[in-house]
Amino acid sequence: MVRRLVFLLLVLCLPATGWAADTYRVFCYHDVREDVRVLPDPFAVDTAALVSQFAWLKENGYRVISLDDVIAAREGRKPLPDKAVMLTFDDGFRSVYTRVFPLLKLFGYPAIVALSGHWLEAGSNGSVEYEGRQVTRENFVSWDQVREMMASGLVEVASHSHDLHRGHAGNPQGSLMPAAVTLRYENGKYEDEAAYGARVRADLARNSALIRANTGRAPRVVVWPFGRDSGELAKIASGLGMPYGFNLAAGVNRSADDPARIRREVMVNNPPLADFIESVQKEPRIAQRVVHVDLDYVFDTNPVQQQKNIDALINRIRALHINAVYLQAFSDADGNGQAAALYFPNRHLPMRADLFSYVAWQLRTRALVDVYAWMPVLAFDLASDNPAADQVVKSADPDVASSGRYRRLSPFSAQAREVIGEIYSDLARYARFDGLLFHDDATLDDFEDVSASARQAMAEKGLALSPEAIRADPVLLQRWTAMKSDALIAFTQELAARVRERQGVIKTARNLYALPVLEPKTQSRFAQSLPAFLAAYDYTALMAMPLMEGSAQPDAWLDKLAKAVAAQPGGLERTVFELQSVDWRTRKPVPDQQLVSQLVRLQRLGALNIGYYPDDFVADRPALVKIKPAMSLQTFPRSD
């Protein structure tokens, strides 16, 4: 006991690091208990741990703020205090009254308490289903307790939905997915958009009415179940008088940020005080370990074999102990790089199978990884009767027919952009995932694009010249390259915005060829650049593939590439070095030891994020026993 008290006093006196002006962090708690170590619950915090956390915040000059403080700063009436944090408590456990409320009064801390009406409506002797188990109504606060907390002026009550804090079938395979953000699948079909909107709106309206009837005040805040929000949900909630929304995306907030998308960091596994301090003082840089997976390897016309493939994939990813998978959402069975079909329902291409949603959910819930939907940007093989089918990238290069380039829709065609945007909207509508990986098809070389729509865009930028004239003038070529690079980035950001409308917070990554990094003068051949990608995306998935590039000295080539990335601000932190596990020239696997050596080499050169493509989980290539030590976060738990 003495040792623990001495340690606590020492930690309480640890200096805090700097805190950016006009920022605040939000921490999400659930149950607070005395028996966390006896009855483990990943979302419960020990009472003594909470006391230590509150005390450390107080002793180190952190200011616990209310939502009113954020609103005042947003409106320019009063700036946020230095080192501002906000406290939220989800689900309305009785402990928020018996254990948390006394501490809020003791420290003078305000907090937001989120209530789910369905759990509170059960009779005093009744029970409710919570997280798949039956618990008594006594586990949750009473309305008398809620009113007492509100009367103190310290507690604001938020809506946690009435009965959306649960899962329902979200695909033909019956995956139980968050009800607030997932179209329900039943009787062989998906819920339509109108029914979805009406269901969510009715639920939120019911909970607001319930809170108002019992407290005299309707909530202005919605705390989304499971932390999953979307642009569409935000509009519904705002229309019901709740313009302030909280999700579970980690990170810093600023007063000027979208008030419907406030980030929170959830407290899990009853963190020791030292871990809590680290989470407060800095945002951890978590190393990405990525495996790039072809869903074409999973698909099988025999459902029994297909399920075996899925299980093999899940077991392999789980055994690797990585944290991200780039999962193919389109079918490229002939290997030409174009999406001939998709693995989700959509308006414009055949659906090979409704498979992406199920595999992505299995990876997220069983293998515990973030799933990025790997999608083309332009290379969609539309049917000839599609109005956008002929809106393609056109080249002034007379040898283009033999160049082997992707056949792409033009990013300058409004018609093509709309069709592609609808495909991405459909992806977001029918599946749940964590990010987007934009495929390597999003390039334009120094002969492209000379389609009618591209020429119009060129004229608007003062480049109403022939490609030959532009290419002959280095200044004009640089302007043309920048125009195309900006157009591609803007289009991918438009696609990401469409996805966020239904998915909420997602991360973005985009494939980048190595040559523009190694030789910046070649950027005109790709309309790509590392600095632009680092500014536009959460991650740049750099194709660090020396064999594909024909290098005779792969190690020296990787050294040069890593050095070039390191020279860019934030380069190593936000670049994923993606190696090749197959030599496509010979169609043979890269020897395991060679791949492992390259992965280790990159980490020694400072690479924080690494991955490889492809992964043949059926044939165990690369061999799990060989690749795991180089890829596993158990081996290299980088989070500095």
Side-chain angles (χ1 to χ4, degrees):
M1 177 63 73
V2 172
R3 282 186 178 180
R4 183 178 180 185
L5 288 174
V6 170
F7 171 76
L8 176 58
L9 289 172
L10 287 172
V11 172
L12 289 176
C13 295
L14 286 175
T17 57
W19 195 268
D22 191 45
T23 63
Y24 65 102
R25 303 274 289 280
V26 184
F27 299 113
C28 167
Y29 296 87
H30 291 78
D31 202 2
V32 179
R33 300 206 320 252
E34 304 292 346
D35 57 355
V36 174
R37 292 171 178 81
V38 178
L39 298 172
D41 178 344
F43 294 104
V45 172
D46 182 83
T47 306
L50 188 63
V51 172
S52 299
Q53 293 168 14
F54 280 12
W56 184 84
L57 292 172
K58 178 76 75 174
E59 291 295 325
N60 286 277
Y62 288 84
R63 297 286 299 277
V64 178
I65 62 171
S66 68
L67 181 60
D68 284 333
D69 293 318
V70 175
I71 295 171
R74 182 177 177 80
E75 295 175 350
R77 292 185 282 111
K78 181 182 178 183
L80 289 177
D82 292 338
K83 298 194 290 188
V85 299
M86 188 182 293
L87 305 173
T88 66
F89 293 84
D90 289 6
D91 297 351
F93 286 105
R94 184 164 294 254
S95 63
V96 79
Y97 175 79
T98 59
R99 295 188 176 94
V100 177
F101 185 43
L103 294 176
L104 297 179
K105 291 188 288 185
L106 176 65
F107 285 91
Y109 288 170
I112 291 174
V113 174
L115 303 178
S116 292
H118 177 68
W119 297 331
L120 303 186
E121 284 190 316
S124 58
N125 296 319
S127 65
V128 298
E129 183 177 337
Y130 178 81
E131 298 292 334
R133 66 183 191 277
Q134 289 295 314
V135 299
T136 65
R137 170 63 177 81
E138 292 302 308
N139 280 272
F140 302 97
V141 290
S142 70
W143 287 113
D144 284 340
Q145 292 166 343
V146 172
R147 287 188 285 268
E148 181 184 343
M149 290 190 292
M150 291 179 67
S152 72
L154 292 172
V155 171
E156 174 162 354
V157 167
S159 173
H160 206 26
S161 83
H162 184 267
D163 191 24
L164 296 176
H165 200 297
R166 59 182 177 82
H168 63 206
N171 52 40
Q173 296 84 359
S175 299
L176 293 178
M177 302 165 74
V181 292
T182 305
L183 297 180
R184 183 165 45 207
Y185 188 90
E186 59 183 0
N187 299 323
K189 63 181 181 179
Y190 287 94
E191 179 179 34
D192 65 39
E193 290 294 309
Y196 165 77
R199 172 172 62 82
V200 171
R201 186 175 293 104
D203 180 282
L204 296 178
R206 179 175 178 180
N207 209 47
S208 289
L210 179 67
I211 291 172
R212 180 169 187 168
N214 284 279
T215 69
R217 188 181 307 167
R220 59 178 176 172
V221 176
V222 60
V223 173
W224 294 110
F226 307 110
R228 290 280 171 179
D229 66 357
S230 72
E232 186 173 4
L233 285 177
K235 292 174 185 175
I236 293 173
S238 183
L240 294 170
M242 295 178 288
Y244 305 102
F246 289 77
N247 56 41
L248 281 178
V252 172
N253 299 287
R254 291 169 176 78
S255 63
D257 290 347
D258 183 354
R261 307 303 254 306
I262 298 174
R263 297 170 176 268
R264 299 187 301 161
E265 299 169 50
V266 62
M267 291 294 149
V268 294
N269 299 321
N270 192 31
L273 184 56
D275 290 354
F276 173 79
I277 292 170
E278 184 176 9
S279 72
V280 173
Q281 289 183 333
K282 64 178 182 179
E283 290 187 88
R285 293 185 297 149
I286 300 175
Q288 273 217 335
R289 296 291 182 269
V290 182
V291 168
H292 203 144
V293 174
D294 283 298
L295 206 47
D296 286 335
Y297 286 14
V298 174
F299 173 79
D300 198 288
T301 55
N302 181 338
V304 174
Q305 182 59 51
Q306 181 170 275
Q307 188 58 53
K308 288 181 179 178
N309 293 344
I310 294 169
D311 290 339
L313 171 63
I314 302 302
N315 291 336
R316 178 178 172 87
I317 297 300
R318 185 167 53 197
L320 274 171
H321 288 283
I322 60 173
N323 57 3
V325 167
Y326 295 160
L327 182 65
Q328 183 187 37
F330 63 100
S331 179
D332 179 24
D334 59 6
N336 69 356
Q338 288 183 258
L342 301 172
Y343 283 113
F344 54 90
N346 72 95
R347 285 168 271 187
H348 294 290
L349 283 172
M351 181 176 70
R352 192 178 192 192
D354 194 349
L355 190 59
F356 178 81
S357 170
Y358 178 57
V359 177
W361 192 251
Q362 291 286 297
L363 283 165
R364 294 178 69 211
T365 57
R366 291 173 56 193
L368 305 179
V369 295
D370 289 341
V371 174
Y372 285 63
W374 166 28
M375 284 282 288
V377 178
L378 305 172
F380 292 95
D381 190 9
L382 301 177
S384 58
D385 59 353
N386 190 301
D390 63 348
Q391 300 295 303
V392 297
V393 170
K394 293 189 177 178
S395 176
D397 182 358
D399 298 322
V400 70
S402 60
S403 67
R405 297 171 193 153
Y406 294 125
R407 184 177 188 273
R408 289 145 292 151
L409 300 175
S410 174
F412 298 103
S413 164
Q415 201 169 34
R417 289 200 307 271
E418 181 59 25
V419 167
I420 297 168
E422 288 176 352
I423 289 172
Y424 272 75
S425 293
D426 292 340
L427 169 68
R429 180 176 291 114
Y430 292 108
R432 305 264 70 78
F433 47 92
D434 305 283
L436 286 169
L437 171 69
F438 295 114
H439 188 36
D440 63 20
D441 65 313
T443 64
L444 292 168
D445 70 18
D446 49 342
F447 288 93
E448 298 170 332
D449 177 14
V450 295
S451 64
S453 54
R455 285 185 177 275
Q456 181 178 345
M458 290 166 63
E460 292 170 357
K461 294 291 186 179
L463 291 167
L465 299 168
S466 70
E468 293 78 15
I470 293 174
R471 294 176 70 250
D473 185 329
V475 175
L476 291 178
L477 181 59
Q478 186 177 28
R479 283 180 56 196
W480 193 30
T481 300
M483 184 198 88
K484 293 184 288 186
S485 176
D486 291 347
L488 289 169
I489 288 173
F491 183 45
T492 56
Q493 291 176 330
E494 177 187 324
L495 296 175
R498 282 183 176 257
V499 170
R500 290 188 180 106
E501 185 64 17
R502 279 304 300 263
Q503 291 282 333
V505 177
I506 61 161
K507 292 188 179 296
T508 55
R510 183 174 163 194
N511 278 136
L512 173 67
Y513 286 92
L515 196 56
V517 180
L518 292 169
E519 300 176 29
K521 290 183 178 180
T522 66
Q523 290 175 8
S524 62
R525 291 163 53 185
F526 299 87
Q528 294 184 339
S529 81
L530 179 58
F533 277 35
L534 293 174
Y537 308 105
D538 294 291
Y539 293 100
T540 295
L542 177 60
M543 291 183 285
M545 302 178 177
L547 297 178
M548 185 179 76
E549 299 294 343
S551 172
Q553 297 179 307
D555 287 348
W557 186 90
L558 286 173
D559 291 354
K560 184 179 178 183
L561 185 64
K563 184 177 180 180
V565 171
Q568 296 295 329
L572 291 175
E573 291 81 5
R574 297 178 54 194
T575 298
V576 179
F577 289 83
E578 202 172 1
L579 294 166
Q580 63 188 107
S581 60
V582 171
D583 184 346
W584 291 293
R585 300 171 304 175
T586 64
R587 298 186 180 276
K588 293 181 179 180
V590 172
D592 290 343
Q593 193 52 49
Q594 181 178 342
L595 178 59
V596 168
S597 175
Q598 291 175 348
L599 288 167
V600 173
R601 187 180 195 88
L602 284 169
Q603 291 174 81
R604 288 174 176 166
L605 292 168
L608 183 65
N609 314 296
I610 53 174
Y612 65 86
Y613 170 78
D615 183 80
D616 189 342
F617 50 89
V618 175
D620 189 30
R621 292 176 180 164
L624 177 63
V625 68
K626 299 286 184 65
I627 199 71
K628 180 176 178 177
M631 284 289 293
S632 171
L633 283 165
Q634 289 182 322
T635 309
F636 292 97
R638 289 283 299 276
S639 61
D640 53 326

